[in-house]
Amino acid sequence: GFAGTHEYTLVYSKDITNARFNSFEILDDELEEWSMDDIGYYKKGAPLRATGAESTREDRPMMFFPILVRGDDVSTISEDEHSKIFDKITQCFNDLFLNSICEKYRSDGWEIVLPMVDSQTYGRWRWGYNSENRQRLRTDVIIQRTKNGISLYKKQRPELGELPSRKPKSVFYRPEYSSGNGTSQIKRLFGPNSFPYPKPEDLIRDFLIISTDEGDIVLDSFLGSGTTAAVAHKMGRRWIGIELGEHAKTHCCPRLKAVVDGEQGGISKAVNWNGGGGFRFYTLAPSLLNKDKYGNWVISKEYNPAMLAAAMAKQEGFKYSPDEHIYWKQGKSSEKDYIFTTTMFITVEILDRIHDEMKPDETLLIACKAFQSECSNRYPSRITIKQIPQILYGKCEFGKDDYSLNIVNVPSERNPELDDIPGIAPEADDNDDDNYETNLFGQRV
């Protein structure tokens, strides 16, 4: 029986006492209702005369007094005159005295404004008579003249020192938030029926306005059609998007390429987006170790030798940088400490040949599938040899403090689907003359 007109968003803070939320910038058409004086922005607020319950002068006798207007100046009577309007002992108003001081100020060129509920009943002001409010009469009152006389209104101001803004409401509604709007934005990019229930860019923009500033990092761990990354890019935020589905290639990457090229859909015109920037596209390598049919840990068949060498260098804390001439110098942790990963069976003869090529102060870690038992302690101070599955057992586990993705680059075949995409900015590498883009374990994309 009801048309769905809203969605729910769950908003979390790590520490609500330290959370900071931004407000929406006031729109140009909304700014038109604001004026500016020497203090700052203001607009017409509530009438200065009290309304509703307890709004007569009998309810608050000390809040009844004449206000004086001359041109754009607003003032009031003296403290001594104010004290004589109402007798606190008899609890009566002295209207004869009131009329006399009104005539006195009229003769000096002032217009007299009294808080009238109607033509026969005196009301009261919202402000009491004190030095602070007498000053506010000079700075925070709007004079409005009508055929019935003068009406006075409070100046409503934003927080002092800030531009006017709007707090987001708990019911988040604008026509641009509709799912139909999100669908039409995707249709313009990819055609009909290209992605179900995409979020509209306008909705994501407002989320980012509230929660981020320019240059902040936005993470979307379920990137979908790429809306969050597209909006973040247009708004000058940095971003990380993660997606397991094929639409990472069919939707996200092409959409973000279009954003870099300056596409004009979604919020582009609203944020004056004309293109620029870039992004890196990485794919996660498969699991390095798998169990065979006997339950033994073995190296995944998906790893070619170059991928395996890069992965082992990363796991052992070496920088993967193969030497052009010496095959066993695949990576190094210092100028004299190297790693060599191989799928061949290491024999004493192979080990002796490598040792003969090493300089006296060089050390080497060999990671291999298997080796002769005689190799274990043949050169204990110079060469350490380990079997690959065993070397990784202690590293393939959860619960660590650091899951940093240390990107490594190794040669492999180009992926024609993602080859030479404008906007993908390769990471510079002294040992990478081709300057191509790779994934976590070196597959070129």
Side-chain angles (χ1 to χ4, degrees):
F2 297 90
T5 56
H6 71 275
E7 304 241 11
Y8 291 97
T9 301
L10 305 181
V11 181
Y12 296 90
S13 171
K14 185 176 181 181
D15 181 357
I16 191 64
T17 60
N18 288 323
R20 180 176 61 84
F21 297 92
N22 297 331
S23 297
F24 290 134
E25 185 178 346
I26 205 80
L27 302 177
D28 287 343
D29 56 346
E30 295 169 317
L31 197 59
E32 290 176 0
E33 62 181 308
W34 292 82
S35 300
M36 181 175 279
D37 58 15
D38 293 339
I39 296 176
Y41 284 101
Y42 72 89
K43 65 180 178 180
K44 182 179 172 182
L48 198 59
R49 182 181 67 81
T51 58
E54 297 188 353
S55 58
T56 67
R57 70 174 180 173
E58 286 75 20
D59 295 319
R60 299 286 182 88
M62 305 310 293
M63 300 176 80
F64 172 79
F65 51 89
I67 290 180
L68 314 176
V69 176
R70 184 161 57 193
D72 293 330
D73 294 332
V74 181
S75 186
T76 189
I77 59 179
S78 69
E79 289 186 53
D80 180 63
E81 291 167 334
H82 175 259
S83 66
K84 295 176 182 178
I85 294 177
F86 179 73
D87 190 324
K88 293 181 180 180
I89 298 175
T90 64
Q91 295 289 296
C92 293
F93 287 95
N94 187 343
D95 286 340
L96 287 176
F97 177 74
L98 173 66
N99 292 335
S100 67
I101 60 172
C102 287
E103 286 301 320
K104 167 193 162 186
Y105 282 102
R106 283 194 187 99
S107 64
D108 288 338
W110 292 94
E111 297 179 85
I112 308 300
V113 184
L114 291 166
M116 305 297 297
V117 175
D118 53 48
S119 59
Q120 304 296 320
T121 309
Y122 287 116
R124 67 172 179 87
W125 301 115
R126 292 180 184 270
W127 297 343
Y129 186 95
N130 56 46
S131 57
E132 179 183 351
N133 286 334
R134 292 202 301 276
Q135 179 59 34
R136 291 178 70 190
L137 287 173
R138 296 181 173 87
T139 60
D140 282 353
V141 171
I142 297 173
I143 304 168
Q144 190 169 74
R145 299 178 185 275
T146 68
K147 62 181 180 180
N148 297 321
I150 295 175
S151 296
L152 303 178
Y153 295 87
K154 297 193 300 179
K155 285 184 179 180
Q156 178 183 327
R157 297 188 184 276
E159 290 187 28
L160 203 59
E162 294 183 2
L163 286 175
S165 62
R166 296 178 292 120
K167 275 190 175 181
K169 293 182 170 57
S170 57
V171 175
F172 229 56
Y173 176 74
R174 287 173 58 200
E176 294 88 344
Y177 295 164
S178 71
S179 58
N181 190 35
T183 300
S184 66
Q185 290 171 1
I186 287 293
K187 278 183 178 179
R188 285 195 293 270
L189 289 169
F190 301 108
N193 304 318
S194 57
F195 195 87
Y197 310 114
K199 298 294 185 290
E201 289 195 7
D202 305 78
L203 177 64
I204 303 301
R205 176 195 61 184
D206 285 352
F207 285 160
L208 297 190
I209 287 174
I210 294 170
S211 60
T212 68
D213 294 317
E214 192 168 337
D216 285 352
I217 300 175
V218 177
L219 169 66
D220 189 347
S221 53
F222 301 92
L223 193 55
S225 63
T227 302
T228 297
V231 172
H233 197 98
K234 293 176 184 179
M235 293 177 66
R237 276 64 169 166
R238 295 177 292 165
W239 52 268
I240 301 170
I242 302 170
E243 182 51 62
L244 293 177
E246 276 300 304
H247 40 281
K249 297 177 182 177
T250 60
H251 288 72
C252 300
C253 193
R255 181 176 190 175
L256 292 164
K257 173 189 175 299
V259 169
V260 169
D261 289 344
E263 62 90 2
Q264 290 300 297
I267 66 166
S268 293
K269 288 185 173 61
V271 299
N272 195 29
W273 176 249
N274 294 304
F279 62 93
R280 298 181 178 94
F281 186 103
Y282 293 103
T283 56
L284 190 65
S287 176
L288 182 56
L289 295 181
N290 291 324
K291 282 188 176 181
D292 64 13
K293 62 182 180 180
Y294 303 107
N296 298 316
W297 287 104
V298 295
I299 301 168
S300 170
K301 293 179 180 178
E302 297 182 63
Y303 274 74
N304 61 38
M307 289 173 60
L308 179 62
M312 290 306 304
K314 173 184 179 293
Q315 292 286 1
E316 292 302 305
F318 289 77
K319 180 181 179 182
Y320 183 72
S321 54
D323 190 280
E324 293 183 8
H325 307 291
I326 304 175
Y327 70 93
W328 51 266
K329 289 186 175 181
Q330 293 175 339
K332 57 185 178 182
S333 63
S334 68
E335 288 301 318
K336 299 176 182 179
D337 185 27
Y338 297 91
I339 186 172
F340 172 44
T341 300
T342 180
T343 56
M344 65 183 177
F345 182 75
I346 296 295
T347 64
V348 170
E349 289 76 17
I350 294 174
L351 201 64
D352 288 344
R353 190 163 59 248
I354 292 175
H355 181 264
D356 291 343
E357 294 180 7
M358 294 174 64
K359 295 178 181 178
D361 55 353
E362 291 181 338
T363 56
L364 176 65
L365 169 62
I366 298 177
C368 60
K369 282 189 174 181
F371 57 91
Q372 280 183 323
S373 58
E374 293 84 354
C375 295
S376 295
N377 295 304
R378 191 166 181 83
Y379 302 103
S381 63
R382 304 285 307 282
I383 300 176
T384 303
I385 184 166
K386 294 183 179 181
Q387 196 172 354
I388 292 174
Q390 281 74 24
I391 201 175
L392 291 172
Y393 284 161
K395 299 179 182 295
C396 302
E397 60 185 13
F398 290 100
K400 294 191 176 182
D401 293 331
D402 184 10
Y403 289 104
S404 300
L405 300 180
N406 299 314
I407 308 300
V408 293
N409 298 311
V410 301
S412 81
E413 294 301 318
R414 285 187 178 272
N415 184 338
E417 293 181 7
L418 297 172
D419 202 23
D420 298 325
I421 295 177
I424 292 185
E427 188 112 36
D429 191 314
D430 294 338
N431 297 299
D432 181 6
D433 294 332
D434 292 334
N435 211 22
Y436 45 69
E437 199 63 25
T438 60
N439 67 14
L440 293 180
F441 293 119
Q443 291 170 310
R444 190 184 312 202
V445 298

